[in-house]
Amino acid sequence: MIETVTWRTSLEEARMEARETGKDLLVDLFNPG
Amino acid sequence: MRDNTYPDPRVSRLINQSTVPVQFNIVEDPGAMLRYHSFWTPTMMLQDADGVEYRRSYGALSPEAFLAEFSLGKALRYLHSGNFRKAIDLLEHARNYTAVHPERNAENHYWLAVGKYRATDDPAELEHGWQELRAKHPSSDWARKTDFSFAD
């Protein structure tokens, strides 16, 4: 089974999750065009 | 990135294991470019939970280039926070990824020597590591940064 990246879209929720899990944030800005 | 790099299982596993990934579509959210002081996409940033940034990359990265950038970024995160032993471990491991990217491999050598020096306070660690860098990547920018240390 291929593992996919589960992107979050809320910075505040991502930061909260990062604090709870001791992880860092990977922030990606992209243009879909 | 979306089609080739993030679906790569080596990349997705590394991202999921050690980060909370957050993504902004700049067409739907044009303010994201201003918030992050960015001017080009894709922009990839490694930050801690407080928003302190340790690595930034502009432009598309192949899976191999992403792994090298990401592993250097993680190591720099621990150099910045003073956890030099963890940084050394990560920089040793990063060599698996930077080996095929001469400039990133040179940077890898540079910071590994710094990490060992800061962990031990032994100047010989810095000199030895930088000598290795200069031997392996003599024309790199990172080797030039060490010139002062080897000047007569």
Coordinates of all heavy atoms in Angstrom, one line a residue, chain A residues 9-26:
Chain A
T9 N -4.7 21.9 6.0 CA -4.9 23.2 5.4 C -5.1 24.3 6.4 O -5.2 25.5 6.0 CB -6.2 23.2 4.5 OG1 -7.3 22.7 5.2 CG2 -6.0 22.2 3.3
S10 N -5.1 24.0 7.7 CA -5.3 25.0 8.7 C -3.9 25.1 9.5 O -3.5 24.1 10.1 CB -6.4 24.6 9.7 OG -6.2 25.4 10.9
L11 N -3.3 26.3 9.4 CA -2.0 26.4 10.1 C -2.2 26.3 11.6 O -1.3 25.6 12.2 CB -1.4 27.8 9.7 CG -0.1 28.1 10.4 CD1 1.0 27.1 10.0 CD2 0.3 29.6 10.1
E12 N -3.2 26.8 12.1 CA -3.3 26.8 13.6 C -3.5 25.3 14.1 O -2.9 24.9 15.1 CB -4.5 27.6 14.1 CG -4.2 29.1 14.0 CD -2.8 29.5 14.6 OE1 -2.6 29.0 15.8 OE2 -2.0 30.1 13.9
E13 N -4.3 24.6 13.3 CA -4.5 23.2 13.7 C -3.2 22.4 13.5 O -2.9 21.5 14.3 CB -5.7 22.6 12.9 CG -7.0 23.1 13.3 CD -8.2 22.5 12.5 OE1 -8.0 21.6 11.7 OE2 -9.3 23.1 12.6
A14 N -2.5 22.7 12.4 CA -1.3 22.0 12.2 C -0.3 22.3 13.3 O 0.5 21.4 13.7 CB -0.7 22.4 10.8
R15 N -0.2 23.6 13.7 CA 0.7 23.9 14.8 C 0.3 23.2 16.1 O 1.2 22.7 16.8 CB 0.7 25.4 15.0 CG 1.6 26.2 14.0 CD 1.6 27.7 14.3 NE 2.6 28.3 13.5 CZ 2.7 29.7 13.4 NH1 1.9 30.4 14.2 NH2 3.6 30.2 12.7
M16 N -0.9 23.1 16.4 CA -1.4 22.5 17.6 C -1.0 21.0 17.5 O -0.5 20.4 18.5 CB -2.9 22.6 17.7 CG -3.5 22.2 19.1 SD -5.2 22.4 19.1 CE -5.4 24.1 18.6
E17 N -1.2 20.4 16.4 CA -0.9 19.0 16.2 C 0.6 18.8 16.4 O 1.1 17.8 17.0 CB -1.3 18.5 14.8 CG -1.1 17.0 14.6 CD -1.6 16.5 13.2 OE1 -2.3 17.3 12.6 OE2 -1.1 15.4 12.8
A18 N 1.4 19.7 15.8 CA 2.9 19.6 15.9 C 3.3 19.7 17.4 O 4.2 19.0 17.8 CB 3.5 20.7 15.1
R19 N 2.7 20.6 18.1 CA 3.1 20.7 19.6 C 2.7 19.4 20.3 O 3.5 18.9 21.1 CB 2.3 21.9 20.2 CG 2.9 23.2 19.8 CD 2.3 24.4 20.6 NE 2.8 25.6 20.0 CZ 2.1 26.4 19.2 NH1 0.9 26.0 18.9 NH2 2.6 27.5 18.7
E20 N 1.6 18.8 20.0 CA 1.1 17.6 20.7 C 2.0 16.4 20.4 O 2.2 15.5 21.2 CB -0.3 17.3 20.3 CG -1.3 18.3 20.9 CD -2.8 18.2 20.4 OE1 -3.0 17.3 19.5 OE2 -3.6 18.9 20.8
T21 N 2.5 16.4 19.1 CA 3.2 15.2 18.7 C 4.7 15.4 18.7 O 5.5 14.4 18.5 CB 2.8 14.8 17.3 OG1 3.1 15.9 16.4 CG2 1.3 14.4 17.2
G22 N 5.2 16.6 19.0 CA 6.6 16.9 19.0 C 7.2 16.9 17.6 O 8.4 16.8 17.5
K23 N 6.4 17.1 16.6 CA 6.9 17.2 15.2 C 7.1 18.6 14.8 O 6.6 19.5 15.4 CB 5.9 16.5 14.3 CG 5.7 15.0 14.5 CD 4.8 14.4 13.5 CE 4.7 12.9 13.6 NZ 3.7 12.3 12.7
D24 N 7.8 18.7 13.6 CA 7.9 20.0 13.0 C 6.8 20.2 11.9 O 6.1 19.2 11.6 CB 9.3 20.1 12.4 CG 10.4 20.2 13.4 OD1 10.2 20.9 14.4 OD2 11.4 19.6 13.2
L25 N 6.8 21.4 11.3 CA 5.9 21.6 10.2 C 6.6 21.6 8.9 O 7.7 22.2 8.8 CB 5.2 23.0 10.4 CG 4.3 23.3 11.6 CD1 3.8 24.7 11.6 CD2 3.0 22.4 11.5
L26 N 6.0 21.0 7.9 CA 6.4 21.2 6.5 C 5.4 22.0 5.9 O 4.2 21.6 5.7 CB 6.6 19.9 5.8 CG 7.0 20.0 4.4 CD1 8.5 20.4 4.3 CD2 6.8 18.7 3.6

